[in-house]
Amino acid sequence: MKVEQVRELADRDSIAKYLANIVPALEIGPRKNGFDFRVGYERVPTKPKLYKAWLEKRLASELAELERDRAEYEEHRLGGLDALTDIDLLYAAGNATEAAKTAMETIFYLKSAHISAGLSKIEGIRQELKRLDGEADQEQVNKLADQVPDGFEMVDVVLPARQAFIVKKWAEAAQARIKTKGKK
């Protein structure tokens, strides 16, 4: 069947009913088993600063791609038969309505796969950035611990309010002693 015939003969009410059952793009979630955001990249930086910059650039790129995929998905979901290109309809078989639905099914299948993969990549990149930030925080704590003078210990504890008050007073006293040792 020719493309013009599909557009002319397809049952628009039947297509509208079909499209009413298609979930909006925002309801498509990430893949359950995740998606490795490093797939397809041979040269991933190994130095922490370069790796973090690479991740931030990838995150921006993936977010932009996700928005494009969602927009195309919604364009087809809301535009119906008019949103299909001649190429979308070129290889569809069956009567005009079946041909149009088949073309749409293919588009929704592919676009929803792109959206879920994109969401999974974004989730993975954000987790990796969070992990890197945690390592940076730990490095800062380690540097502070190295600056603690002999005879003192750095502690990180959770205490009831009464005990925390006492410990804060001890900390103030220790700071005063450290300052007087530093002046000598």
Side-chain angles (χ1 to χ4, degrees):
M1 180 172 289
K2 292 186 177 183
V3 171
E4 299 82 25
Q5 290 175 311
V6 172
R7 289 188 192 285
E8 188 178 317
L9 301 174
D11 180 358
R12 292 191 180 263
D13 290 336
S14 178
I15 290 172
K17 286 178 187 173
Y18 166 76
L19 291 171
N21 292 314
I22 301 297
V23 298
L26 289 175
E27 290 183 23
I28 299 170
R31 295 180 178 184
K32 290 182 176 123
N33 59 349
F35 194 91
D36 187 355
F37 61 87
R38 294 175 201 88
V39 169
Y41 291 89
E42 292 178 15
R43 294 183 178 172
V44 177
T46 55
K47 293 182 180 177
K49 285 184 181 179
L50 293 175
Y51 181 53
K52 186 173 181 177
W54 180 82
L55 286 171
E56 289 168 344
K57 186 176 178 182
R58 284 289 316 280
L59 180 60
S61 174
E62 290 296 339
L63 287 168
E65 185 68 28
L66 175 64
E67 288 312 307
R68 280 191 296 272
D69 285 336
R70 282 179 170 165
E72 285 180 34
Y73 181 97
E74 286 301 307
E75 180 184 332
H76 283 89
R77 188 176 74 83
L78 300 173
L81 191 58
D82 296 330
L84 295 174
T85 67
D86 289 351
I87 292 180
D88 293 333
L89 295 169
L90 191 60
Y91 299 105
N95 68 38
T97 304
E98 289 170 358
K101 283 182 183 178
T102 300
M104 289 178 189
E105 283 173 1
T106 303
I107 289 166
F108 292 128
Y109 174 78
L110 293 173
K111 279 296 159 196
S112 64
H114 288 181
I115 291 168
S116 66
L119 286 168
S120 295
K121 287 186 229 177
I122 289 166
E123 195 174 82
I125 292 169
R126 284 183 172 152
Q127 287 174 354
E128 185 71 357
L129 284 168
K130 193 180 274 188
R131 185 188 68 77
L132 290 174
D133 288 343
E135 285 179 5
D137 291 344
Q138 188 59 45
E139 280 181 31
Q140 239 176 351
V141 168
N142 292 344
K143 284 179 185 176
L144 286 174
D146 291 342
Q147 296 172 1
V148 174
D150 290 337
F152 293 89
E153 287 288 323
M154 181 183 291
V155 294
D156 186 17
V157 296
V158 177
L159 298 169
R162 182 180 59 79
Q163 291 175 329
F165 176 80
I166 295 167
V167 170
K168 286 177 186 175
K169 292 295 182 189
W170 291 344
E172 289 170 7
Q175 286 291 349
R177 284 192 306 235
I178 290 170
K179 283 182 183 176
T180 57
K181 274 188 172 183
K183 289 181 182 178
K184 291 182 183 179

